[in-house]
Every structure is written in C-alpha cells, then in structure tokens.
Amino acid sequence: MTLSNGAPSPSRSALTASTALKVSGIPNVVPEVIQRSVGASVFKPPSRITVETHVRAGIFLKGTELEKCYDGPLVNGLRHGHGTYEYPNRFFKYSGEYVNGKKHGKGTLSMADGSTYEGDFDEEEITGKGKRTWPDGSTYVGDFLNGERTGKGAHTDAEGNVFEGVFFENSREGHGRMTYSNGDVLEVNWESNQPNGLGVYETPQGDKYEGDWIEGERTGVGRYDGANGDYYEGEWVADEYYGMGIRHISASGMTHECMFVEGEVKYLPLALQMDKISVIKDGKDGNEETEIPQPLQIMAG
C-alpha cells in the first residue's frame, strides 16, 4: 500500500503522521510524511501552521506509545469520550470528545506557537462552528468546512479591522461588511478577498462613496459626497475621477460637467453653473455689490 503522495507505507513499528497544510491560496499541498522509530526522530515542524492545518498524527499508535500520548477513556481499544491527546511531535495537542477513535464533537486543538482552534469536529475534520486564534492576536469566529473558513463568520485582524460576511475556502466571497480600525465602513460584494461589485464606503466624518468596485478599487460609475458639501458623480478608474463627470465645489458654489483624467480636469467644462454671481459697480456712495440670486448657467463656446 502506498500513501496519497506515492510514498510506500511505513512498517508497523514506525509511527506515521500525515500533516496536510491547507494554506490559503495554495490549492494542493503535498502532505509531509513523518516517521519516528524507537530512539530516533526525523520530525521537522512545518514552517507555517494556519487554521487550515489538518492533523492525523498518531492514528496508528498502540500499546504503551498510545498511553504516553493519550489520557482518557477507551472503548474496545479506541478513544471514546472526553480525552486529551498530545501528538508525538509535541506541536499539537487536542482536548475534547472522541467517538470510535476519532475526534468528533466539541474540542480544542492547541499548537505550540500559541494558536488554537476551539469548536466542532466531525470525524477528525474541523467542520461546524468554531473559533480560531493566531499568535498575532487575530481571530475568526464562524463556520468551518474541512478545516477551512467556509460559510458565515467574522474575522478580526491584528490591526483591529473586522470583516463580517461570507467566506469560501478561507477567502472573502459574497456580501460582507468591513469595519476598519479608524471607523471607516465598507459594505460590498467580495471576490477573492477584494471588493468587487456595487458597494458603499462611509467614514465617521461623513464622507461617502456609493458605486462600482473592481478588484478593490473604485472603478466604474459612482458618486462621492464629501462632508463639506462637495460632490462628484460620474466615471471612475482606480479610485480617481476618470471620464465624464459632474463636480460641485461648495466653497465656490460652482458645478461643472467635464472630462476628467486621473482626478484632474482634462477638457474645458461643457457647462458651468454658479449658485450666485456677485457684481460690483460704482454707485453714488462708492462701490456697491449686487448678487444675482438665481443660478446662472454658462455654456462653453
């Protein structure tokens, strides 16, 4: 019999453990085969351990070797009930429920780097609802499927940014809401961890963008409203005004429609509209200022 990576099966006297690191963005990682015999060990801890770690070390342990690693009840020689198992590599430790020799029910998987998973297990797999913590303080609470974040959940990163929404195979996929540590909020459709589709971005100061997103940038058609009363409505490319648009500047009271390139006016406005015009003229008692109350539109010639 051979293992899934083509390697021959070890002898009955050897301890075999298969650790498949399902790292985000890497669809297929060949499992590392670890062999340990009496008085010798060739185990090397994996360079990166993530929530997607799936461990089966020690499944073939028997007799005194099993007793050294496992503390809990046995039924017909199988782990059954609540027990604690410390893997021979000393990196992983499981404490929780077993059914017929398999992790099944509620349990906690701890790792030597300080990261943990606490929640549901289904026949050895991390499947159901649970909480994952990382050494940098980031956390995820929500649904898991076969060791991966799949379903609804909330992820808080080390900087304090919080994403609440839908995940698929550890990636933000579908509708979700990101609340940044500075208070900004983005609610949008997500694809491959990037905003992609219609969305709304708002700041605590009152600025707001509503419109299209492509690969994490405002691209397409959208409207920006500033807290100071400025606004722009039109075409965007890579977070810049780019194409035809209408811009209003509240300080001057001017609204104009023109072509923009990289946020700057490229061509003269097609139309210029002013909220008011002040006219100064000589009077008997000196200069006098007169306001034209109605908006005046001046067409570019």
Side-chain angles (χ1 to χ4, degrees), residues 259-291:
M259 176 70 72
F260 292 85
V261 174
E262 296 181 347
E264 301 294 334
V265 174
K266 181 65 175 178
Y267 301 110
L268 291 175
L270 300 176
L272 177 65
Q273 182 171 300
M274 303 179 185
D275 292 339
K276 64 181 179 180
I277 297 179
S278 297
V279 178
I280 301 176
K281 62 181 181 179
D282 293 333
K284 295 181 180 179
D285 300 324
N287 292 338
E288 297 178 354
E289 183 176 342
T290 302
E291 291 186 355

PDB file of all heavy atoms in Angstrom, residues 259-291:
ATOM      1  N   MET A 259     -14.651  66.499 -18.762  1.00  0.00           N
ATOM      2  CA  MET A 259     -13.866  65.281 -18.842  1.00  0.00           C
ATOM      3  C   MET A 259     -12.728  65.350 -17.828  1.00  0.00           C
ATOM      4  O   MET A 259     -12.029  66.351 -17.729  1.00  0.00           O
ATOM      5  CB  MET A 259     -13.302  65.109 -20.254  1.00  0.00           C
ATOM      6  CG  MET A 259     -12.389  63.900 -20.424  1.00  0.00           C
ATOM      7  SD  MET A 259     -13.283  62.333 -20.353  1.00  0.00           S
ATOM      8  CE  MET A 259     -14.131  62.395 -21.945  1.00  0.00           C
ATOM      9  N   PHE A 260     -12.574  64.238 -17.054  1.00  0.00           N
ATOM     10  CA  PHE A 260     -11.501  64.152 -16.064  1.00  0.00           C
ATOM     11  C   PHE A 260     -10.521  63.055 -16.460  1.00  0.00           C
ATOM     12  O   PHE A 260     -10.901  62.034 -17.032  1.00  0.00           O
ATOM     13  CB  PHE A 260     -12.058  63.825 -14.674  1.00  0.00           C
ATOM     14  CG  PHE A 260     -12.871  64.923 -14.059  1.00  0.00           C
ATOM     15  CD1 PHE A 260     -14.221  65.055 -14.351  1.00  0.00           C
ATOM     16  CD2 PHE A 260     -12.301  65.829 -13.183  1.00  0.00           C
ATOM     17  CE1 PHE A 260     -14.974  66.062 -13.780  1.00  0.00           C
ATOM     18  CE2 PHE A 260     -13.039  66.838 -12.604  1.00  0.00           C
ATOM     19  CZ  PHE A 260     -14.380  66.960 -12.898  1.00  0.00           C
ATOM     20  N   VAL A 261      -9.260  63.264 -16.128  1.00  0.00           N
ATOM     21  CA  VAL A 261      -8.220  62.245 -16.283  1.00  0.00           C
ATOM     22  C   VAL A 261      -7.382  62.252 -15.014  1.00  0.00           C
ATOM     23  O   VAL A 261      -6.819  63.281 -14.641  1.00  0.00           O
ATOM     24  CB  VAL A 261      -7.330  62.507 -17.514  1.00  0.00           C
ATOM     25  CG1 VAL A 261      -6.169  61.506 -17.553  1.00  0.00           C
ATOM     26  CG2 VAL A 261      -8.136  62.411 -18.792  1.00  0.00           C
ATOM     27  N   GLU A 262      -7.354  61.099 -14.338  1.00  0.00           N
ATOM     28  CA  GLU A 262      -6.614  60.943 -13.083  1.00  0.00           C
ATOM     29  C   GLU A 262      -6.962  62.033 -12.067  1.00  0.00           C
ATOM     30  O   GLU A 262      -6.100  62.603 -11.407  1.00  0.00           O
ATOM     31  CB  GLU A 262      -5.111  60.912 -13.346  1.00  0.00           C
ATOM     32  CG  GLU A 262      -4.673  59.719 -14.170  1.00  0.00           C
ATOM     33  CD  GLU A 262      -3.183  59.668 -14.404  1.00  0.00           C
ATOM     34  OE1 GLU A 262      -2.503  60.689 -14.129  1.00  0.00           O
ATOM     35  OE2 GLU A 262      -2.694  58.620 -14.855  1.00  0.00           O
ATOM     36  N   GLY A 263      -8.250  62.317 -11.983  1.00  0.00           N
ATOM     37  CA  GLY A 263      -8.739  63.252 -10.979  1.00  0.00           C
ATOM     38  C   GLY A 263      -8.639  64.712 -11.350  1.00  0.00           C
ATOM     39  O   GLY A 263      -9.090  65.583 -10.590  1.00  0.00           O
ATOM     40  N   GLU A 264      -8.045  65.011 -12.492  1.00  0.00           N
ATOM     41  CA  GLU A 264      -7.870  66.403 -12.913  1.00  0.00           C
ATOM     42  C   GLU A 264      -8.706  66.690 -14.155  1.00  0.00           C
ATOM     43  O   GLU A 264      -8.964  65.813 -14.976  1.00  0.00           O
ATOM     44  CB  GLU A 264      -6.394  66.686 -13.212  1.00  0.00           C
ATOM     45  CG  GLU A 264      -5.465  66.441 -12.042  1.00  0.00           C
ATOM     46  CD  GLU A 264      -5.711  67.407 -10.894  1.00  0.00           C
ATOM     47  OE1 GLU A 264      -6.211  68.527 -11.154  1.00  0.00           O
ATOM     48  OE2 GLU A 264      -5.411  67.049  -9.743  1.00  0.00           O
ATOM     49  N   VAL A 265      -9.114  67.980 -14.284  1.00  0.00           N
ATOM     50  CA  VAL A 265      -9.882  68.398 -15.458  1.00  0.00           C
ATOM     51  C   VAL A 265      -9.000  68.296 -16.694  1.00  0.00           C
ATOM     52  O   VAL A 265      -7.898  68.846 -16.743  1.00  0.00           O
ATOM     53  CB  VAL A 265     -10.395  69.843 -15.297  1.00  0.00           C
ATOM     54  CG1 VAL A 265     -11.064  70.307 -16.585  1.00  0.00           C
ATOM     55  CG2 VAL A 265     -11.360  69.927 -14.132  1.00  0.00           C
ATOM     56  N   LYS A 266      -9.474  67.549 -17.700  1.00  0.00           N
ATOM     57  CA  LYS A 266      -8.708  67.369 -18.933  1.00  0.00           C
ATOM     58  C   LYS A 266      -9.165  68.340 -20.006  1.00  0.00           C
ATOM     59  O   LYS A 266      -8.352  68.899 -20.739  1.00  0.00           O
ATOM     60  CB  LYS A 266      -8.859  65.930 -19.430  1.00  0.00           C
ATOM     61  CG  LYS A 266      -8.075  65.621 -20.692  1.00  0.00           C
ATOM     62  CD  LYS A 266      -6.583  65.723 -20.472  1.00  0.00           C
ATOM     63  CE  LYS A 266      -5.822  65.279 -21.717  1.00  0.00           C
ATOM     64  NZ  LYS A 266      -4.356  65.423 -21.555  1.00  0.00           N
ATOM     65  N   TYR A 267     -10.474  68.530 -20.119  1.00  0.00           N
ATOM     66  CA  TYR A 267     -11.017  69.431 -21.126  1.00  0.00           C
ATOM     67  C   TYR A 267     -11.869  70.474 -20.435  1.00  0.00           C
ATOM     68  O   TYR A 267     -12.351  70.291 -19.315  1.00  0.00           O
ATOM     69  CB  TYR A 267     -11.854  68.654 -22.152  1.00  0.00           C
ATOM     70  CG  TYR A 267     -11.067  67.586 -22.855  1.00  0.00           C
ATOM     71  CD1 TYR A 267     -11.315  66.240 -22.605  1.00  0.00           C
ATOM     72  CD2 TYR A 267     -10.077  67.916 -23.778  1.00  0.00           C
ATOM     73  CE1 TYR A 267     -10.586  65.244 -23.242  1.00  0.00           C
ATOM     74  CE2 TYR A 267      -9.339  66.926 -24.413  1.00  0.00           C
ATOM     75  CZ  TYR A 267      -9.591  65.598 -24.145  1.00  0.00           C
ATOM     76  OH  TYR A 267      -8.865  64.623 -24.763  1.00  0.00           O
ATOM     77  N   LEU A 268     -12.079  71.618 -21.141  1.00  0.00           N
ATOM     78  CA  LEU A 268     -12.904  72.679 -20.575  1.00  0.00           C
ATOM     79  C   LEU A 268     -14.302  72.160 -20.280  1.00  0.00           C
ATOM     80  O   LEU A 268     -14.812  71.286 -20.993  1.00  0.00           O
ATOM     81  CB  LEU A 268     -12.988  73.857 -21.555  1.00  0.00           C
ATOM     82  CG  LEU A 268     -11.692  74.653 -21.757  1.00  0.00           C
ATOM     83  CD1 LEU A 268     -11.904  75.697 -22.838  1.00  0.00           C
ATOM     84  CD2 LEU A 268     -11.262  75.300 -20.453  1.00  0.00           C
ATOM     85  N   PRO A 269     -14.925  72.697 -19.244  1.00  0.00           N
ATOM     86  CA  PRO A 269     -16.276  72.242 -18.905  1.00  0.00           C
ATOM     87  C   PRO A 269     -17.243  72.416 -20.062  1.00  0.00           C
ATOM     88  O   PRO A 269     -17.190  73.405 -20.797  1.00  0.00           O
ATOM     89  CB  PRO A 269     -16.649  73.141 -17.721  1.00  0.00           C
ATOM     90  CG  PRO A 269     -15.354  73.616 -17.171  1.00  0.00           C
ATOM     91  CD  PRO A 269     -14.428  73.725 -18.324  1.00  0.00           C
ATOM     92  N   LEU A 270     -18.109  71.423 -20.213  1.00  0.00           N
ATOM     93  CA  LEU A 270     -19.187  71.567 -21.192  1.00  0.00           C
ATOM     94  C   LEU A 270     -20.208  72.581 -20.700  1.00  0.00           C
ATOM     95  O   LEU A 270     -20.854  73.270 -21.474  1.00  0.00           O
ATOM     96  CB  LEU A 270     -19.865  70.216 -21.410  1.00  0.00           C
ATOM     97  CG  LEU A 270     -18.944  69.091 -21.931  1.00  0.00           C
ATOM     98  CD1 LEU A 270     -19.727  67.791 -21.998  1.00  0.00           C
ATOM     99  CD2 LEU A 270     -18.360  69.451 -23.269  1.00  0.00           C
ATOM    100  N   ALA A 271     -20.380  72.650 -19.411  1.00  0.00           N
ATOM    101  CA  ALA A 271     -21.328  73.609 -18.835  1.00  0.00           C
ATOM    102  C   ALA A 271     -20.811  74.011 -17.459  1.00  0.00           C
ATOM    103  O   ALA A 271     -20.239  73.209 -16.738  1.00  0.00           O
ATOM    104  CB  ALA A 271     -22.715  73.000 -18.712  1.00  0.00           C
ATOM    105  N   LEU A 272     -21.018  75.293 -17.116  1.00  0.00           N
ATOM    106  CA  LEU A 272     -20.582  75.806 -15.825  1.00  0.00           C
ATOM    107  C   LEU A 272     -21.767  76.472 -15.156  1.00  0.00           C
ATOM    108  O   LEU A 272     -22.408  77.336 -15.736  1.00  0.00           O
ATOM    109  CB  LEU A 272     -19.451  76.815 -16.010  1.00  0.00           C
ATOM    110  CG  LEU A 272     -18.916  77.501 -14.763  1.00  0.00           C
ATOM    111  CD1 LEU A 272     -18.265  76.477 -13.851  1.00  0.00           C
ATOM    112  CD2 LEU A 272     -17.908  78.587 -15.139  1.00  0.00           C
ATOM    113  N   GLN A 273     -22.091  76.033 -13.974  1.00  0.00           N
ATOM    114  CA  GLN A 273     -23.239  76.584 -13.256  1.00  0.00           C
ATOM    115  C   GLN A 273     -22.778  77.135 -11.919  1.00  0.00           C
ATOM    116  O   GLN A 273     -22.008  76.509 -11.205  1.00  0.00           O
ATOM    117  CB  GLN A 273     -24.294  75.500 -13.029  1.00  0.00           C
ATOM    118  CG  GLN A 273     -25.548  76.026 -12.323  1.00  0.00           C
ATOM    119  CD  GLN A 273     -26.633  75.002 -12.312  1.00  0.00           C
ATOM    120  OE1 GLN A 273     -27.081  74.559 -13.353  1.00  0.00           O
ATOM    121  NE2 GLN A 273     -27.081  74.624 -11.125  1.00  0.00           N
ATOM    122  N   MET A 274     -23.231  78.360 -11.609  1.00  0.00           N
ATOM    123  CA  MET A 274     -22.861  79.026 -10.372  1.00  0.00           C
ATOM    124  C   MET A 274     -24.090  79.225  -9.505  1.00  0.00           C
ATOM    125  O   MET A 274     -25.169  79.542 -10.012  1.00  0.00           O
ATOM    126  CB  MET A 274     -22.204  80.388 -10.661  1.00  0.00           C
ATOM    127  CG  MET A 274     -20.982  80.310 -11.562  1.00  0.00           C
ATOM    128  SD  MET A 274     -20.265  81.926 -11.879  1.00  0.00           S
ATOM    129  CE  MET A 274     -18.974  81.498 -13.052  1.00  0.00           C
ATOM    130  N   ASP A 275     -23.925  79.048  -8.202  1.00  0.00           N
ATOM    131  CA  ASP A 275     -25.037  79.277  -7.291  1.00  0.00           C
ATOM    132  C   ASP A 275     -25.425  80.747  -7.245  1.00  0.00           C
ATOM    133  O   ASP A 275     -26.587  81.091  -7.101  1.00  0.00           O
ATOM    134  CB  ASP A 275     -24.659  78.810  -5.881  1.00  0.00           C
ATOM    135  CG  ASP A 275     -24.524  77.297  -5.820  1.00  0.00           C
ATOM    136  OD1 ASP A 275     -25.100  76.636  -6.701  1.00  0.00           O
ATOM    137  OD2 ASP A 275     -23.837  76.806  -4.914  1.00  0.00           O
ATOM    138  N   LYS A 276     -24.434  81.627  -7.340  1.00  0.00           N
ATOM    139  CA  LYS A 276     -24.706  83.064  -7.330  1.00  0.00           C
ATOM    140  C   LYS A 276     -23.536  83.799  -7.957  1.00  0.00           C
ATOM    141  O   LYS A 276     -22.418  83.289  -8.024  1.00  0.00           O
ATOM    142  CB  LYS A 276     -24.931  83.564  -5.908  1.00  0.00           C
ATOM    143  CG  LYS A 276     -23.707  83.442  -5.015  1.00  0.00           C
ATOM    144  CD  LYS A 276     -23.994  83.934  -3.619  1.00  0.00           C
ATOM    145  CE  LYS A 276     -22.736  83.782  -2.732  1.00  0.00           C
ATOM    146  NZ  LYS A 276     -23.003  84.252  -1.346  1.00  0.00           N
ATOM    147  N   ILE A 277     -23.791  84.988  -8.454  1.00  0.00           N
ATOM    148  CA  ILE A 277     -22.750  85.837  -9.025  1.00  0.00           C
ATOM    149  C   ILE A 277     -22.843  87.198  -8.353  1.00  0.00           C
ATOM    150  O   ILE A 277     -23.924  87.795  -8.244  1.00  0.00           O
ATOM    151  CB  ILE A 277     -22.922  86.004 -10.555  1.00  0.00           C
ATOM    152  CG1 ILE A 277     -22.771  84.640 -11.246  1.00  0.00           C
ATOM    153  CG2 ILE A 277     -21.929  87.008 -11.100  1.00  0.00           C
ATOM    154  CD1 ILE A 277     -22.954  84.704 -12.743  1.00  0.00           C
ATOM    155  N   SER A 278     -21.714  87.671  -7.891  1.00  0.00           N
ATOM    156  CA  SER A 278     -21.664  88.996  -7.287  1.00  0.00           C
ATOM    157  C   SER A 278     -21.124  89.989  -8.301  1.00  0.00           C
ATOM    158  O   SER A 278     -20.084  89.763  -8.916  1.00  0.00           O
ATOM    159  CB  SER A 278     -20.766  89.002  -6.036  1.00  0.00           C
ATOM    160  OG  SER A 278     -21.297  88.139  -5.051  1.00  0.00           O
ATOM    161  N   VAL A 279     -21.853  91.100  -8.491  1.00  0.00           N
ATOM    162  CA  VAL A 279     -21.456  92.141  -9.437  1.00  0.00           C
ATOM    163  C   VAL A 279     -21.152  93.411  -8.649  1.00  0.00           C
ATOM    164  O   VAL A 279     -21.983  93.878  -7.855  1.00  0.00           O
ATOM    165  CB  VAL A 279     -22.572  92.416 -10.472  1.00  0.00           C
ATOM    166  CG1 VAL A 279     -22.158  93.524 -11.410  1.00  0.00           C
ATOM    167  CG2 VAL A 279     -22.886  91.132 -11.230  1.00  0.00           C
ATOM    168  N   ILE A 280     -19.960  93.966  -8.845  1.00  0.00           N
ATOM    169  CA  ILE A 280     -19.560  95.191  -8.160  1.00  0.00           C
ATOM    170  C   ILE A 280     -19.569  96.340  -9.170  1.00  0.00           C
ATOM    171  O   ILE A 280     -18.985  96.246 -10.241  1.00  0.00           O
ATOM    172  CB  ILE A 280     -18.150  95.044  -7.545  1.00  0.00           C
ATOM    173  CG1 ILE A 280     -18.134  93.877  -6.540  1.00  0.00           C
ATOM    174  CG2 ILE A 280     -17.707  96.332  -6.886  1.00  0.00           C
ATOM    175  CD1 ILE A 280     -16.782  93.584  -5.950  1.00  0.00           C
ATOM    176  N   LYS A 281     -20.255  97.421  -8.833  1.00  0.00           N
ATOM    177  CA  LYS A 281     -20.337  98.572  -9.729  1.00  0.00           C
ATOM    178  C   LYS A 281     -20.229  99.861  -8.924  1.00  0.00           C
ATOM    179  O   LYS A 281     -20.432  99.891  -7.711  1.00  0.00           O
ATOM    180  CB  LYS A 281     -21.646  98.551 -10.512  1.00  0.00           C
ATOM    181  CG  LYS A 281     -22.881  98.642  -9.639  1.00  0.00           C
ATOM    182  CD  LYS A 281     -24.145  98.594 -10.481  1.00  0.00           C
ATOM    183  CE  LYS A 281     -25.395  98.703  -9.585  1.00  0.00           C
ATOM    184  NZ  LYS A 281     -26.638  98.683 -10.382  1.00  0.00           N
ATOM    185  N   ASP A 282     -19.878 100.920  -9.633  1.00  0.00           N
ATOM    186  CA  ASP A 282     -19.777 102.225  -8.988  1.00  0.00           C
ATOM    187  C   ASP A 282     -21.161 102.768  -8.671  1.00  0.00           C
ATOM    188  O   ASP A 282     -22.100 102.666  -9.462  1.00  0.00           O
ATOM    189  CB  ASP A 282     -19.047 103.209  -9.903  1.00  0.00           C
ATOM    190  CG  ASP A 282     -17.584 102.828 -10.081  1.00  0.00           C
ATOM    191  OD1 ASP A 282     -17.060 102.184  -9.156  1.00  0.00           O
ATOM    192  OD2 ASP A 282     -16.999 103.152 -11.124  1.00  0.00           O
ATOM    193  N   GLY A 283     -21.292 103.372  -7.479  1.00  0.00           N
ATOM    194  CA  GLY A 283     -22.553 103.993  -7.074  1.00  0.00           C
ATOM    195  C   GLY A 283     -22.301 105.390  -6.551  1.00  0.00           C
ATOM    196  O   GLY A 283     -21.148 105.853  -6.461  1.00  0.00           O
ATOM    197  N   LYS A 284     -23.332 106.076  -6.208  1.00  0.00           N
ATOM    198  CA  LYS A 284     -23.196 107.445  -5.697  1.00  0.00           C
ATOM    199  C   LYS A 284     -22.379 107.462  -4.420  1.00  0.00           C
ATOM    200  O   LYS A 284     -21.624 108.405  -4.163  1.00  0.00           O
ATOM    201  CB  LYS A 284     -24.583 108.046  -5.457  1.00  0.00           C
ATOM    202  CG  LYS A 284     -25.393 108.230  -6.728  1.00  0.00           C
ATOM    203  CD  LYS A 284     -26.746 108.853  -6.407  1.00  0.00           C
ATOM    204  CE  LYS A 284     -27.571 109.048  -7.668  1.00  0.00           C
ATOM    205  NZ  LYS A 284     -28.893 109.628  -7.370  1.00  0.00           N
ATOM    206  N   ASP A 285     -22.559 106.442  -3.605  1.00  0.00           N
ATOM    207  CA  ASP A 285     -21.867 106.403  -2.322  1.00  0.00           C
ATOM    208  C   ASP A 285     -20.656 105.460  -2.343  1.00  0.00           C
ATOM    209  O   ASP A 285     -20.212 104.970  -1.313  1.00  0.00           O
ATOM    210  CB  ASP A 285     -22.825 105.960  -1.212  1.00  0.00           C
ATOM    211  CG  ASP A 285     -24.005 106.911  -1.069  1.00  0.00           C
ATOM    212  OD1 ASP A 285     -23.789 108.119  -1.242  1.00  0.00           O
ATOM    213  OD2 ASP A 285     -25.118 106.414  -0.807  1.00  0.00           O
ATOM    214  N   GLY A 286     -20.139 105.186  -3.528  1.00  0.00           N
ATOM    215  CA  GLY A 286     -18.986 104.295  -3.638  1.00  0.00           C
ATOM    216  C   GLY A 286     -19.380 102.984  -4.298  1.00  0.00           C
ATOM    217  O   GLY A 286     -20.436 102.888  -4.936  1.00  0.00           O
ATOM    218  N   ASN A 287     -18.502 101.988  -4.185  1.00  0.00           N
ATOM    219  CA  ASN A 287     -18.782 100.700  -4.814  1.00  0.00           C
ATOM    220  C   ASN A 287     -19.943  99.997  -4.137  1.00  0.00           C
ATOM    221  O   ASN A 287     -20.079  99.999  -2.926  1.00  0.00           O
ATOM    222  CB  ASN A 287     -17.539  99.791  -4.737  1.00  0.00           C
ATOM    223  CG  ASN A 287     -16.406 100.325  -5.605  1.00  0.00           C
ATOM    224  OD1 ASN A 287     -16.648 101.099  -6.538  1.00  0.00           O
ATOM    225  ND2 ASN A 287     -15.185  99.919  -5.296  1.00  0.00           N
ATOM    226  N   GLU A 288     -20.787  99.359  -4.947  1.00  0.00           N
ATOM    227  CA  GLU A 288     -21.920  98.605  -4.437  1.00  0.00           C
ATOM    228  C   GLU A 288     -21.853  97.179  -4.987  1.00  0.00           C
ATOM    229  O   GLU A 288     -21.479  96.955  -6.130  1.00  0.00           O
ATOM    230  CB  GLU A 288     -23.241  99.257  -4.866  1.00  0.00           C
ATOM    231  CG  GLU A 288     -23.433 100.650  -4.301  1.00  0.00           C
ATOM    232  CD  GLU A 288     -24.729 101.280  -4.779  1.00  0.00           C
ATOM    233  OE1 GLU A 288     -25.392 100.644  -5.630  1.00  0.00           O
ATOM    234  OE2 GLU A 288     -25.051 102.370  -4.315  1.00  0.00           O
ATOM    235  N   GLU A 289     -22.224  96.217  -4.143  1.00  0.00           N
ATOM    236  CA  GLU A 289     -22.213  94.806  -4.551  1.00  0.00           C
ATOM    237  C   GLU A 289     -23.629  94.313  -4.704  1.00  0.00           C
ATOM    238  O   GLU A 289     -24.456  94.468  -3.816  1.00  0.00           O
ATOM    239  CB  GLU A 289     -21.468  93.941  -3.531  1.00  0.00           C
ATOM    240  CG  GLU A 289     -21.372  92.475  -3.940  1.00  0.00           C
ATOM    241  CD  GLU A 289     -20.543  91.651  -2.979  1.00  0.00           C
ATOM    242  OE1 GLU A 289     -19.768  92.244  -2.184  1.00  0.00           O
ATOM    243  OE2 GLU A 289     -20.671  90.412  -3.022  1.00  0.00           O
ATOM    244  N   THR A 290     -23.905  93.709  -5.843  1.00  0.00           N
ATOM    245  CA  THR A 290     -25.236  93.178  -6.123  1.00  0.00           C
ATOM    246  C   THR A 290     -25.116  91.693  -6.428  1.00  0.00           C
ATOM    247  O   THR A 290     -24.242  91.266  -7.189  1.00  0.00           O
ATOM    248  CB  THR A 290     -25.880  93.904  -7.323  1.00  0.00           C
ATOM    249  OG1 THR A 290     -25.944  95.296  -7.038  1.00  0.00           O
ATOM    250  CG2 THR A 290     -27.286  93.355  -7.577  1.00  0.00           C
ATOM    251  N   GLU A 291     -25.973  90.889  -5.837  1.00  0.00           N
ATOM    252  CA  GLU A 291     -25.980  89.454  -6.087  1.00  0.00           C
ATOM    253  C   GLU A 291     -27.121  89.085  -7.019  1.00  0.00           C
ATOM    254  O   GLU A 291     -28.238  89.590  -6.889  1.00  0.00           O
ATOM    255  CB  GLU A 291     -26.136  88.664  -4.791  1.00  0.00           C
ATOM    256  CG  GLU A 291     -24.911  88.736  -3.863  1.00  0.00           C
ATOM    257  CD  GLU A 291     -25.062  87.834  -2.670  1.00  0.00           C
ATOM    258  OE1 GLU A 291     -26.152  87.235  -2.513  1.00  0.00           O
ATOM    259  OE2 GLU A 291     -24.107  87.736  -1.884  1.00  0.00           O
TER     260      GLU A 291
END
